[in-house]
Amino acid sequence: GKSTLDVFKAVEISGERLIVVDHHGALHGFSIDTKQGCTLSLDEAFGVAGTLKLPEKIENLSRDSADHVFASNGIFGGHVVKDGKQEFKCDIKGHVEIHGSGKWGIAPWVNATVRLVEVDARACKSEDWVLQELNDDKNRKGPFANVNSAAIAGDLVLIGGVLAKSEDPKQPRRVIGFTRAGKEKLRFGNTDTAAPDSFGWVHAIEPCKTGICVLDSDQRRLSLWTRAGKHVASVELGKLLDLRDPWIPDFTIAKDGAAWLVVAQARDKSSVAEG
C-alpha cells in the first residue's frame, strides 16, 4: 500500500483458516499450519482462488462458535460467510459483533445509534439498543459520543469509545461492559492519557485468557484486563514485533488462545508499506 493504512482492515479465524480483509474490502483466506513453526498458505478453496469479494467493501469481521463469520461494511449491511462462501446477507447497518451462539449480536457505527441484532435462520433483524443518538448532545442516551469498537465476551457486551463531554469534559477513551439488556456492569481505562492503562483509541476488543484484551494502535499497545476490568499488563507491540512504527488495525484470538494480529510497516526511506 501507499501507507500503513492501505494494507489491512480486519482479521478473523474460522476453523483452521485465517481470513484477512484488505484495503479494498476483499476477504483473503489462508490455511494455518502450526505443526512445524507457523506457516500460512493461500487457501484456493476460499472464494475464488483464495479471495472472496462480496457486494459491499468489508471493514469488520466477527465469528461465532460454529465458525460462521459475520462480515460487515458499516453503512451498507453485511454478509454471513462459512467455508469461504457467502451463506446469506445480514441486512444490518453497523459493524456487527456476534455472540458465540450466532443468534444475537451488537452493531455500533461511529456516532450512530447502536443496534441490537438478532439472527434467525438465514436473516438478521435489529432494534435500537440503549446507546442512542450519540452525535446529538440533547438527545443522546448513554455515556458515549463515539464508538471505536465492540465485542461480546460471554454475555458481556463490551463497547470501547469516546465519552461524551457531559460524561467527562476530557472525553477519554474507555471500555464499558453492559448486559444484553443494556445495564452497565463495569468500565475501565485510565482517564490520564499518559498512563499505561489508558487508551488513545480502542481499535479492537477480544475475550482472552486473562479476561479481556484491548488493542490500541494509536499507542501501539495491547492491554490485558480481568473480566472485572482490572488492569493486568500492557504489551508494547513495536518492541514485541521488532518493528519501528507498526500500524495494527485489528487482532483476533483463536480457540487455542493464540493472538493473530494484522500489522503494516512502512519501508525505510520509502512510501511503500507492507503487511
Side-chain angles (χ1 to χ4, degrees):
K2 295 180 180 180
S3 78
T4 53
L5 300 178
D6 293 332
V7 182
F8 293 122
K9 284 292 185 181
V11 62
E12 192 51 272
I13 296 280
S14 178
E16 297 301 315
R17 180 186 285 126
L18 180 75
I19 302 172
V20 298
V21 180
D22 67 18
H23 184 63
H24 300 290
L27 280 64
H28 303 270
F30 298 90
S31 298
I32 302 170
D33 185 352
T34 57
K35 293 177 182 177
Q36 295 181 338
C38 178
T39 303
L40 295 177
S41 57
L42 187 66
D43 185 352
E44 298 281 352
F46 183 86
V48 178
T51 300
L52 179 62
K53 294 183 179 179
L54 296 167
E56 287 79 29
K57 293 175 63 175
I58 300 304
E59 294 188 349
N60 190 76
L61 300 176
S62 178
R63 77 172 187 274
D64 65 16
S65 58
D67 289 325
H68 296 95
V69 174
F70 286 68
S72 46
N73 165 272
I75 300 177
F76 301 110
H79 303 267
V80 177
V81 174
K82 182 71 181 290
D83 297 327
K85 299 177 178 61
Q86 175 191 355
E87 285 206 329
F88 60 92
K89 182 168 183 177
C90 191
D91 194 16
I92 301 296
K93 295 181 179 180
H95 285 164
V96 177
E97 292 293 334
I98 197 71
H99 183 261
S101 66
K103 296 187 178 298
W104 67 277
I106 205 81
W109 173 247
V110 193
N111 58 5
T113 292
V114 178
R115 305 283 288 177
L116 182 68
V117 179
E118 291 188 6
V119 184
D120 183 14
R122 298 175 64 87
C124 303
K125 59 181 180 180
S126 69
E127 61 184 32
D128 288 353
W129 197 49
V130 294
L131 304 179
Q132 300 179 21
E133 304 288 349
L134 305 189
N135 64 342
D136 189 330
D137 291 336
K138 292 183 178 180
N139 298 313
R140 178 185 301 109
K141 293 182 180 180
F144 288 110
N146 182 297
V147 173
N148 304 162
S149 62
I152 300 177
D155 290 328
L156 188 66
V157 177
L158 297 164
I159 304 289
V162 182
L163 294 185
K165 287 185 178 180
S166 57
E167 189 79 12
D168 189 321
K170 296 186 294 184
Q171 291 195 279
R173 284 67 168 143
R174 303 203 78 189
V175 175
I176 301 180
F178 300 87
T179 64
R180 176 178 173 173
K183 181 180 179 181
E184 182 175 329
K185 302 294 288 185
L186 60 97
R187 62 174 65 190
F188 58 88
N190 200 319
T191 56
D192 178 2
T193 56
D197 57 345
S198 66
F199 304 119
W201 198 262
V202 182
H203 287 88
I205 310 169
E206 290 284 339
C208 59
K209 186 174 181 180
T210 60
I212 303 166
C213 289
V214 181
L215 173 66
D216 179 353
S217 197
D218 279 9
Q219 298 188 15
R220 277 55 169 181
R221 189 157 65 203
L222 184 70
S223 56
L224 290 70
W225 308 76
T226 68
R227 280 292 298 269
K230 181 181 178 181
H231 184 246
V232 176
S234 292
V235 180
E236 300 300 326
L237 293 174
K239 293 179 181 179
L240 176 71
L241 304 172
D242 194 24
L243 292 173
R244 170 178 44 79
D245 189 25
W247 180 252
I248 313 104
D250 194 23
F251 81 116
T252 189
I253 305 290
K255 291 179 181 179
D256 64 1
W260 291 79
L261 301 90
V262 279
V263 184
Q265 171 69 57
R267 293 177 183 172
D268 291 336
K269 300 179 181 179
S270 171
S271 60
V272 176
E274 298 173 306

